[in-house]
Amino acid sequence: MKILMLVSSMHAGGAERVAATLVNAWSERGDSVILTPTYSSKGTCFYPLSDKVELAWLADLAGTRVSGPMAAFKRLQALRKHIRDSKPDVVVSFLTNVNVAAILATRGLRVPLIVCERTNPVAETTTGSVWRRLRRILYPRADMVTVQAEDTAGPFARQVPGIKRLAVIPNPLPAPLLDAPLVQQIQDGEPRTLLAMGRLVPDKQFSLLIDIFAQIAPEFPDWNLRIWGEGPERAALEQQVARLRLQSRISLPGRTETPWEELARGQAFVLSSLVEGFPNVLLEAMSLGLPCVAFDCPSGPREMTRDGQDALLVPAGDRVAMTDALHRLMGDAALRQQLGARGAAAVRHRYALSSVLAEWDELFEAVREGR
């Protein structure tokens, strides 16, 4: 097949990581793959791409310095020409703004189009009203719309009525994680690390996590909290840590280009988010054998943990329950070992790249037959 993948950028982010994983896998198995970031100022690829993937920046194809609405129109024209010239068997687009552009650009071209939501569109707080309105108007024109979790499908179908086909397709585990060594729990008395990872934004609730850790830190002098990520909340979080006088116990080292290596250095992982679309980092932590605690937020954690069988699942936003769960996990080495092994076995089977690619193939066949 010839597959055209459209993404906003290839900066560091969950959607970009999944896009890189998919296009690399498709190209390595013999498909012809073009990856087109639509970001107006181009940028760079944070994630490595196979030499077999053709990278075509829309900024280069548009070749215009015009600003404002005219620039957006020129990029849309360039995108339509790119799709027409490349003659793909299917177009896959990620993220709301790119999805809207893809629907407009493919009108009348008779190219099957699959648009993919990469956050939880029902509980999101970052998509503006204009984009939500465009989504409601235009998504019914796509051949297929996908969301990442079962919890999202029903509410989203009610929010955007008229969608032809709505499918749930999870993110795959990157291939290297399928046979990576499992985290080894260290001996009593040695320093341990509780890990969190994500953008430093309010929805991740790292401020709440810091307060909870501060409450239980005196009981666990051999545990430290490390929060990986970057974002606008950095200054406030650093000030919070300083007020609590826990600079030696809580660190915010920034963004890492080797997230799996950093996860493998921890002894437990916590997801404190208010809302998620499909938390890749939780999936990756579980695959490495890290015992995990997660808020049962919309959406993803409940499915990933099989209703709390493979991790400690805490009612969303319940501070007391999260405190109790972390207290229990940090104080029980046998529980950590049990949850780590069980979680790794479960997610490596259910989210293997080969399994998710098979689901994509079913979508490709469905939209091509529909056309």
Side-chain angles (χ1 to χ4, degrees):
M1 289 184 63
K2 189 170 190 179
I3 303 167
L4 174 60
M5 167 75 83
L6 307 177
V7 293
S8 179
S9 74
M10 282 306 290
H11 298 159
E16 294 86 347
R17 184 185 301 175
V18 174
T21 298
L22 289 174
V23 297
N24 286 340
W26 287 328
S27 65
E28 289 299 324
R29 76 179 187 181
D31 291 319
S32 174
V33 182
I34 304 172
L35 175 65
T36 299
T38 64
Y39 189 53
S40 59
S41 58
K42 195 172 177 178
T44 58
C45 272
F46 184 81
Y47 300 105
L49 295 178
S50 166
D51 293 338
K52 299 175 183 177
V53 175
E54 179 184 343
L55 183 61
W57 298 91
L58 186 62
D60 289 339
L61 298 172
T64 177
R65 299 281 182 184
V66 181
S67 59
M70 184 56 68
F73 179 70
K74 289 288 187 183
R75 286 199 301 275
L76 188 62
Q77 281 186 316
L79 179 59
R80 181 174 176 83
K81 183 177 186 300
H82 177 49
I83 295 169
R84 187 171 56 239
D85 291 348
S86 58
K87 297 182 175 63
D89 293 309
V90 65
V91 176
V92 178
S93 68
F94 275 16
L95 301 170
T96 301
N97 60 329
V98 184
N99 294 340
V100 167
I103 293 168
L104 293 173
T106 55
R107 291 292 291 165
L109 296 184
R110 299 189 61 78
V111 179
L113 172 64
I114 302 173
V115 302
C116 309
E117 282 294 332
R118 307 310 299 175
T119 62
N120 182 339
V122 178
E124 69 192 350
T125 59
T126 56
T127 301
S129 59
V130 172
W131 288 113
R132 288 196 296 269
R133 194 174 304 117
L134 287 171
R135 190 163 60 191
R136 186 181 180 92
I137 294 170
L138 294 177
Y139 274 29
R141 300 182 182 181
D143 296 283
M144 179 81 72
V145 179
T146 76
V147 293
Q148 298 167 286
E150 293 287 349
D151 287 348
T152 305
F156 188 55
R158 292 189 290 273
Q159 187 186 82
V160 187
I163 291 175
K164 295 176 185 175
R165 294 174 178 171
L166 180 63
V168 177
I169 188 162
N171 292 342
L173 261 179
L177 294 181
L178 291 176
D179 55 6
L182 298 185
V183 166
Q184 297 298 310
Q185 291 297 323
I186 61 179
Q187 299 299 313
D188 290 342
E190 296 181 36
R192 295 178 174 85
T193 304
L194 173 65
L195 291 172
M197 190 176 286
R199 288 202 70 220
L200 305 184
V201 293
D203 278 354
K204 301 300 182 182
Q205 298 193 126
F206 290 138
S207 176
L208 174 63
L209 176 60
I210 289 171
D211 275 345
I212 291 173
F213 184 81
Q215 181 180 338
I216 61 178
E219 294 183 65
F220 299 98
D222 53 340
W223 281 86
N224 297 314
L225 173 62
R226 184 173 298 147
I227 303 172
W228 285 97
E230 197 52 80
E233 294 287 297
R234 168 170 288 281
L237 295 174
E238 289 177 337
Q239 291 169 10
Q240 180 183 3
V241 172
R243 284 196 307 271
L244 293 167
R245 298 182 180 181
L246 285 173
Q247 296 96 323
S248 64
R249 303 281 305 276
I250 302 175
S251 59
L252 293 93
R255 190 168 60 195
T256 174
E257 295 186 9
T258 55
W260 306 332
E261 292 180 17
E262 299 304 335
L263 287 172
R265 293 189 176 101
Q267 277 68 57
F269 178 85
V270 55
L271 184 83
S272 54
S273 299
L274 174 68
V275 60
E276 288 282 354
F278 189 92
N280 291 319
V281 67
L282 175 61
L283 185 63
E284 291 161 6
M286 291 177 67
S287 76
L288 288 168
L290 272 176
C292 296
V293 181
F295 273 138
D296 185 14
C297 65
S299 56
R302 177 168 289 276
E303 292 173 40
M304 287 181 186
T305 66
R306 294 191 301 168
D307 296 328
Q309 292 183 61
D310 304 322
L312 299 184
L313 196 62
V314 175
D318 191 327
R319 175 181 180 140
V320 173
M322 176 60 82
T323 304
D324 290 344
L326 285 173
H327 191 284
R328 180 183 168 201
L329 191 68
M330 291 162 63
D332 191 335
L335 176 62
R336 294 197 300 273
Q337 190 70 37
Q338 179 187 34
L339 284 179
R342 191 163 65 206
V347 299
R348 288 186 182 197
H349 172 70
R350 292 159 58 215
Y351 298 100
L353 181 56
S354 58
S355 299
V356 177
L357 288 178
E359 295 185 42
W360 275 103
D361 286 340
E362 291 179 8
L363 295 192
F364 292 156
E365 184 177 353
V367 296
R368 293 175 72 186
E369 286 181 352
R371 281 282 176 169

